[in-house]
Amino acid sequence: MNQTGRYFRLLFSFAKFSLASEMAFRWNFLMKVALELLWLVILIVFYRTLFSKTGTISGWTEGEYLFFVGCYYALEGVIESFFLENATEFSELIRKGDLDFYLLKPVDEQFLVSFRKFDWSTAPKVLIGGVLMAIALKQLEWVFDPIKIMAFITLFGGGIALAYGFLLALASTSVWLVRNQSLLELWWLFTTLMRYPREIYQNGWAWSLWVFFSFVVPAMLVVSIPAETMVRSIDPFWSIWVVISAILVLLASRWFFRRAIRSYRSASS
Amino acid sequence: MTSVPMDLSVPVKAPGFFGSIRKYLNILKVSLVERLAYRGDFLLGTVLRFLPMISAILLWKSVYLGADTDVLSGYTYSQVIAYLLLVHVSRMFSSMPGLAAGVARDIRDGNLKRYLIQPLDLMSYLLAYRAAHKMAYIATSALPYAGLFIVCAGYFETLPSLATIGFWLLSLLLGFLLGFFFELTLGMLGFWMLEVTSFLYLVNTLNFFVSGHFFPIDLMEPAGLVVFLKMLPFQYLAYFPAAIFLGKIPPDQLLPMLGVQLLWVLFFALVSRILWRLGLRRYSAFGG
């Protein structure tokens, strides 16, 4: 218990320190927030455009899809605030051979590498995503249902765990692959799978993608399943699978991370 | 960059025809070896790079299925997909990765004096440099793109006439110049702003959207937005060339619009030149 408390205190200090360093470059910070807002506007104009042409997209009505967009935006906010910058930096630490300093500290390496910086500029996205989801629920005349909310929160957590696991694994590959392209770009390409409802892949040859990214690398479930649960009904099979796969992916990515650390050879020392 | 050991036993005498061929084969070999040094990463990146394209195709498929119609805002499903492919070609010409950031960095770090003390005009030098890079890039990516277009040939319902292809190439060329001078103008802001990277990121993201990179501008809602976006210079970076290829520009508007594209090129060339002059007046070279 004492140990857990220590990690929470560390997390708090990281966040505080990050805020202080952000505030040293206030204009840059505001610019980053503006960028996130611009991305939101783009998502919404895109969504409005799609639904000006059609009433449903692979079975998703306009209100349901808005909820999906809000859910995606909020999840993106969590991942970017906590992990994305850290994962990018992890790649750099390996490339430059500076990881040694982290390995020497009396803290779990994965914790240190994953949480060291907190990106405050993306944190408002969680709130804005929440507002979008609320607007969508109002449009859908959603009836309050505490069980659904609990299920949603659990599955949203599962989605975060899945996304974090994939990100950690992707960042860990930097130990073996000589990296020539930015991790940020690879991650951006990969998250395409989470950005749209998974049903759009249920079409001809794309079914193979659907199967692969639902069961082997379950990236398509990250946003789709929590959103479906909230605006439709709780699907026992997929809900349980998200929880199980989240645990499996977390364990696998931790194992993969430790393996990567073991293969890490420092540079220039 | 890794250095690649290379067999340098090239004959000294005039190379002749076969010698020339061998020279280019060697260049090809070296480029391939360089690529393969990053093979794992290259493979991962190549596989992931297909995801947005595939997802876009499937998303639009769903939209057309949901709408239960063949034509939306004048575009058939195949035309939207063809457009998404063509817009990549537009971008191949008009995107200038790192140009503005590089100029701004040179200004901030004081590296600019390297150009100032030489009998050389920075803007012309950069233009020549970019043109060479673009040519090399287009030459090396022509083959994979040709493959992609052959696989997706089914989405091209009609092939454009020779004249249309001529206009398309002309607009691509102007797109290159417009992209260059627009980025250069942004880079000149480095004279007044110390840190421009976040700002550039913002502009680039916006640019992607308003230039019609995600989907044809004509489809955008509300309709007032379409009219507005078509007044901006950005559509000439992505939308316009692709629209020419697909025959979406009425013939009587083709030449006037190319003229407007040319005017935008001249506009940004002028603005960047003025900013350059003004900036130099307040420029002080830091560092030794």
Side-chain angles (χ1 to χ4, degrees):
Chain A
M1 199 57 226
N2 199 12
Q3 194 67 353
T4 323
R6 179 165 161 255
Y7 277 95
F8 269 110
R9 273 202 307 283
L10 265 174
L11 201 59
F12 184 69
S13 310
F14 290 154
K16 211 170 75 179
F17 179 72
S18 304
L19 186 63
S21 51
E22 287 278 26
M23 286 306 120
F25 301 96
R26 245 161 267 167
W27 271 108
N28 202 46
F29 179 75
L30 285 179
M31 209 63 99
K32 272 155 75 185
V33 174
L35 185 66
E36 296 305 334
L37 290 178
L38 178 67
W39 174 230
L40 177 73
V41 171
I42 290 176
L43 280 177
I44 292 194
V45 172
F46 191 44
Y47 145 85
R48 287 292 315 146
T49 300
L50 293 179
F51 278 99
S52 69
K53 312 291 175 207
T54 173
T56 60
I57 292 178
S58 295
W60 288 73
T61 64
E62 184 163 356
E64 290 172 348
Y65 198 96
L66 181 63
F67 187 87
F68 183 94
V69 172
C71 189
Y72 167 73
Y73 196 72
L75 188 119
E76 206 181 50
V78 174
I79 293 293
E80 287 172 358
S81 294
F82 281 100
F83 309 118
L84 192 59
E85 207 182 332
N86 290 309
T88 329
E89 213 151 284
F90 178 50
S91 281
E92 275 299 288
L93 289 175
I94 289 170
R95 201 175 60 80
K96 291 188 183 152
D98 285 341
L99 194 63
D100 314 21
F101 302 110
Y102 292 84
L103 299 181
L104 290 172
K105 295 209 163 59
V107 189
D108 183 80
E109 300 87 8
Q110 188 184 338
F111 175 82
L112 195 61
V113 162
S114 306
F115 290 102
R116 205 171 53 91
K117 267 195 186 155
F118 185 86
D119 190 347
W120 285 93
S121 65
T122 50
K125 292 173 79 174
V126 182
L127 208 69
I128 297 170
V131 172
L132 276 189
M133 287 189 269
I135 293 173
L137 288 179
K138 195 160 162 51
Q139 264 182 31
L140 291 167
E141 289 165 0
W142 193 73
V143 190
F144 184 76
D145 183 348
I147 299 176
K148 267 192 180 175
I149 293 183
M150 296 255 288
F152 171 75
I153 292 173
T154 312
L155 293 173
F156 190 74
I160 293 169
L162 282 171
Y164 166 70
F166 298 140
L167 182 58
L168 183 70
L170 192 64
S172 302
T173 56
S174 317
V175 169
W176 297 286
L177 304 180
V178 188
R179 200 149 300 284
N180 192 22
Q181 10 191 7
S182 73
L183 183 76
L184 215 59
E185 198 192 342
L186 291 181
W187 176 249
W188 171 249
L189 293 171
F190 183 71
T191 51
T192 310
L193 294 167
M194 310 170 187
R195 215 167 300 143
Y196 309 108
R198 63 196 176 117
E199 283 86 355
I200 66 164
Y201 298 92
Q202 294 173 341
N203 191 321
W205 50 268
W207 270 102
S208 55
L209 284 176
W210 185 83
V211 170
F212 184 80
F213 288 109
S214 295
F215 296 105
V216 187
V217 181
M220 280 178 191
L221 312 181
V222 170
V223 181
S224 275
I225 302 299
E228 279 173 27
T229 301
M230 196 67 169
V231 297
R232 291 180 190 162
S233 55
I234 302 173
D235 186 324
F237 172 76
W238 289 107
S239 305
I240 293 171
W241 173 234
V242 164
V243 174
I244 293 176
S245 64
I247 295 169
L248 289 177
V249 165
L250 276 186
L251 288 174
S253 63
R254 181 163 177 86
W255 171 82
F256 192 65
F257 173 80
R258 300 207 80 113
R259 257 202 73 128
I261 293 282
R262 263 209 302 279
S263 309
Y264 166 73
R265 278 164 299 174
S266 178
S268 73
S269 56
Chain B
M1 281 289 143
T2 47
S3 61
V4 179
M6 199 174 100
D7 183 16
L8 288 173
S9 56
V10 184
V12 183
K13 65 177 169 57
F17 178 67
F18 289 106
S20 297
I21 296 266
R22 193 160 60 214
K23 183 170 74 188
Y24 289 109
L25 281 180
N26 265 329
I27 294 173
L28 188 70
K29 199 170 81 187
V30 171
S31 321
L32 273 177
V33 169
E34 193 192 326
R35 269 284 177 216
L36 290 178
Y38 302 109
R39 58 189 168 276
D41 199 45
F42 182 60
L43 197 69
L44 194 64
T46 311
V47 171
L48 288 180
R49 225 166 286 277
F50 279 103
L51 288 178
M53 194 69 218
I54 291 172
S55 303
I57 290 177
L58 293 167
L59 185 68
W60 284 105
K61 182 98 205 158
S62 298
V63 171
Y64 276 86
L65 280 176
D68 200 23
T69 163
D70 292 331
V71 184
L72 292 175
S73 305
Y75 281 76
T76 64
Y77 167 65
S78 299
Q79 279 176 332
V80 171
I81 306 307
Y83 175 88
L84 291 175
L85 290 166
L86 285 166
V87 117
H88 276 265
V89 180
S90 307
R91 275 283 165 192
M92 211 152 91
F93 279 82
S94 67
S95 74
M96 300 284 151
L99 174 62
V103 171
R105 196 177 47 238
D106 276 348
I107 293 171
R108 195 188 55 197
D109 296 351
N111 277 334
L112 204 64
K113 59 182 175 296
R114 203 173 59 197
Y115 303 105
L116 296 178
I117 55 170
Q118 290 173 34
L120 176 88
D121 176 50
L122 175 79
M123 293 172 68
S124 320
Y125 162 75
L126 285 175
L127 183 61
Y129 175 83
R130 283 284 159 173
H133 260 233
K134 276 288 165 203
M135 274 193 270
Y137 175 66
I138 290 166
T140 49
S141 46
L143 212 61
Y145 267 97
L148 186 67
F149 274 77
I150 289 169
V151 169
C152 299
Y155 292 119
F156 291 87
E157 287 159 336
T158 49
L159 282 182
S161 67
L162 226 57
T164 309
I165 291 187
F167 286 126
W168 177 59
L169 290 174
L170 186 62
S171 70
L172 285 175
L173 208 65
L174 287 172
F176 162 75
L177 289 173
L178 183 59
F180 174 80
F181 284 116
F182 175 65
E183 278 271 323
L184 197 61
T185 305
L186 288 179
M188 293 303 170
L189 294 178
F191 281 117
W192 292 271
M193 292 162 72
L194 204 55
E195 178 53 55
V196 291
T197 42
S198 290
F199 175 72
L200 291 179
Y201 214 78
L202 192 74
V203 172
N204 277 335
T205 308
L206 192 62
N207 188 353
F208 255 83
F209 193 60
V210 297
S211 65
H213 189 98
F214 292 144
F215 55 91
I217 291 178
D218 310 280
L219 268 68
M220 212 173 281
E221 287 290 328
L225 199 59
V226 180
V227 179
F228 175 66
L229 290 184
K230 289 202 172 170
M231 291 193 293
L232 298 178
F234 307 105
Q235 61 151 326
Y236 297 101
L237 298 173
Y239 166 80
F240 184 56
I244 292 181
F245 193 95
L246 290 173
K248 291 290 169 192
I249 309 287
D252 58 319
Q253 282 180 27
L254 197 53
L255 282 175
M257 283 184 82
L258 279 168
V260 174
Q261 190 180 11
L262 179 65
L263 283 180
W264 278 118
V265 172
L266 295 175
F267 172 77
F268 280 109
L270 193 68
V271 171
S272 56
R273 177 61 75 178
I274 291 171
L275 288 179
W276 169 243
R277 286 280 165 81
L278 289 175
L280 275 186
R281 264 190 233 157
R282 45 173 290 148
Y283 173 72
S284 46
F286 293 106

